[in-house]
């Protein structure tokens, strides 16, 4: 999708049409999640600090993200994809791979299918999409980005090397700033230039990544489209308007994160066994601390307890904290976890009932209808 979050905001509020719309977090410390093409003319892009976006475009329209709304529109878009193939692999709310190799007898060539999907997304939802059609995921992804907005790029089988050759090496997945800098020092700026290097040289210089570069610059990518790919982790993080040092504030923020992560686990009917705490200090240094629980959980109290233990293994409080995050992995179905022998005595059953009651209240009356007292204003 083209500038998806910003495009949804314009869709819902036509008065924003042709205005520089920037979707992102708080003005002091947040980052840009999406920028309309009008905003991009000012050099604004995703992951840019909101403060810098304001400096570049003080008259821009700055809007906080509405993730639930974006999920609703995303579901409508994916339902259109599913009309043409069951082999749909989501990359995010606004991007997916489609394997249409088994659909051409019904719907025409891959190019014709791409055209039909783009028209249906435009007609039924009111948004534009850009598509790349190719024989591999890697090349299709690169092609989809080249003619935005509302673009369509076709790379015929056998034409991968000619297509990739003139493009900058940064277009390849896995070529980050450090690798790009090393390649530039060798005089390699394009994918075609990278292709001139031998496999032995790439492997000796970049290790296993060099093997990938050798295949990628030739458009070789044999990964299948995987529609059933499972979520590997669930988490939330928060960047603060001011660096935090007070232990009470840090505890409060961890509680808020633990509640949100636990609610998401219960909504997906899973429990997490691996808990990770993310801390970014005021100097932008970032660390993570992880633990594996003896019993998988979806309970905010247990998640908070473990997060506080992990927090003691950091310099939080001694050093100002800019960001905190909690994530869970190692999922088990909610009913598959082994029960404690003395679950009732330990309060596990009581906590489960409390969580179920809170979830029901929030479902009926909204996300802020019931909260731990610590999270109430004041």
């Amino acid at each position: 999708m083209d500038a998806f979050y910003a495009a949804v905001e314009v869709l819902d509020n036509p008065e924003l049409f042709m205005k520089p719309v920037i979707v992102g977090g708080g003005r002091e410390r947040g980052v840009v999640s999406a920028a309309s093409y009008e905003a991009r003319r000012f050099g604004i892009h995703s992951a840019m600090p909101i403060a810098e976006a304001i400096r570049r475009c003080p008259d821009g329209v700055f809007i906080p993200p509405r993730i639930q709304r974006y999920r609703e529109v995303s579901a409508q878009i994916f339902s259109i994809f599913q009309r043409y193939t069951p082999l749909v692999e989501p990359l995010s709310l606004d991007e997916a791979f489609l394997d249409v190799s088994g659909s051409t007898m019904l719907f025409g060539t891959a190019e014709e299918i791409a055209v039909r999907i783009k028209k249906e997304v435009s007609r039924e939802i009111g948004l534009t999409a850009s598509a790349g059609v190719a024989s591999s995921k890697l090349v299709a992804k690169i092609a989809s980005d080249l003619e935005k907005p509302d673009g369509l790029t076709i790379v015929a089988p056998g034409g991968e090397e000619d297509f990739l050759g003139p493009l900058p090496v940064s277009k390849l997945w896995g070529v980050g700033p450090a690798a790009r800098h090393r390649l530039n020092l060798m005089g390699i700026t394009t994918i075609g230039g990278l292709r001139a290097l031998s496999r032995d040289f790439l492997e000796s210089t970049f290790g296993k990544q060099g093997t990938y570069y050798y295949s990628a610059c030739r458009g070789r990518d044999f990964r299948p489209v995987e529609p059933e790919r499972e979520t590997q982790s669930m988490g939330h993080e928060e960047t603060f308007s001011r660096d935090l040092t007070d232990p009470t504030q840090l505890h409060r923020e961890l509680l808020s994160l633990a509640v949100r992560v636990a609610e998401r686990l219960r909504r997906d009917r899973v429990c997490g066994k691996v808990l990770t705490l993310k801390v970014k200090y005021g100097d932008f240094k970032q660390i993570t601390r992880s633990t594996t629980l003896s019993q998988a959980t979806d309970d905010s109290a247990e998640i908070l307890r473990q997060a506080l233990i992990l927090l003691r293994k950091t310099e939080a409080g001694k050093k100002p904290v800019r960001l905190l995050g909690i994530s869970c992995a190692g999922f088990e179905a909610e009913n598959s976890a082994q029960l404690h022998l003395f679950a009732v005595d330990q309060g596990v059953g009581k906590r489960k009932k409390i969580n179920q009651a809170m979830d029901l209240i929030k479902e009926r009356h909204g996300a802020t209808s019931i909260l731990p007292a610590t999270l109430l204003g004041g």
Side-chain angles (χ1 to χ4, degrees), residues 6 16 35 58 80-81 97 99 103 119 168 174 212 219 252 285 306 308 367-368 373:
L16 299 177
I80 293 175
F81 297 162
F97 290 117
D99 181 345
S103 306
K119 286 181 178 178
Y212 161 73
R252 176 190 172 100
K285 180 182 177 182
Q306 296 294 338
L308 289 170
T368 60

Side-chain angles (χ1 to χ4, degrees), residues 47-268:
M48 173 183 284
I50 288 288
E52 174 64 15
I54 294 173
R55 188 187 70 77
R56 295 189 182 201
C57 185
D59 295 326
V61 182
F62 291 84
I63 301 173
R66 297 184 296 149
I67 297 299
Q68 186 55 44
R69 173 58 177 153
Y70 308 147
R71 287 192 180 120
E72 292 173 1
V73 179
S74 174
Q76 296 171 359
I77 294 165
F78 274 75
S79 70
I80 293 175
F81 297 162
Q82 293 285 348
R83 295 172 189 171
Y84 293 91
T85 174
L87 300 177
V88 178
E89 178 182 338
L91 287 181
S92 60
L93 289 179
D94 67 324
E95 191 169 17
F97 290 117
L98 282 69
D99 181 345
V100 297
S101 57
S103 306
T104 54
M105 291 293 290
L106 283 174
F107 302 112
T109 66
E111 179 178 354
E112 290 170 336
I113 292 173
V115 169
R116 289 177 65 161
I117 289 174
K118 282 166 51 64
K119 286 181 178 178
E120 289 178 21
V121 168
S122 176
R123 182 176 65 249
E124 297 178 26
I125 301 174
L127 299 177
T128 62
S130 294
V133 179
S135 58
S136 71
K137 291 163 72 171
L138 181 144
V139 179
K141 165 63 177 167
I142 294 173
S144 72
D145 288 330
L146 287 189
E147 297 183 18
K148 282 181 168 287
D150 201 19
L152 175 60
T153 301
I154 313 297
V155 183
E160 292 85 1
E161 292 190 8
D162 289 341
F163 167 72
L164 294 172
L167 300 178
V169 289
S170 58
K171 289 291 185 181
L172 285 180
W173 285 343
V175 179
R180 184 173 69 248
H181 178 68
R182 291 182 69 183
L183 289 168
N184 289 167
L185 290 176
M186 301 175 197
I188 305 299
T189 59
T190 66
I191 297 176
L194 181 63
R195 195 167 62 241
L197 301 177
S198 70
R199 181 196 294 267
D200 288 343
F201 178 82
L202 287 170
E203 290 178 346
S204 64
T205 305
F206 296 99
K208 290 183 179 179
Q209 195 70 358
T211 306
Y212 161 73
Y213 291 160
Y214 183 82
S215 296
C217 68
R218 290 164 171 78
R220 298 175 186 168
D221 178 12
F222 303 105
R223 295 170 302 155
V225 171
E226 299 179 298
E228 300 300 327
R229 187 175 60 178
E230 295 182 359
T231 302
Q232 299 299 309
S233 67
M234 294 183 190
H236 287 281
E237 60 185 45
E238 190 71 39
T239 300
F240 310 121
S241 58
R242 295 177 185 151
D243 294 342
L244 302 184
T245 55
D246 179 48
T248 301
Q249 287 182 303
L250 293 170
H251 183 286
R252 176 190 172 100
E253 295 300 337
L254 283 180
L255 172 58
S256 175
L257 291 168
V259 167
R260 290 155 66 188
V261 171
E263 287 175 351
R264 189 173 170 192
L265 289 169
R266 294 195 297 271
R267 187 165 59 245
D268 284 14

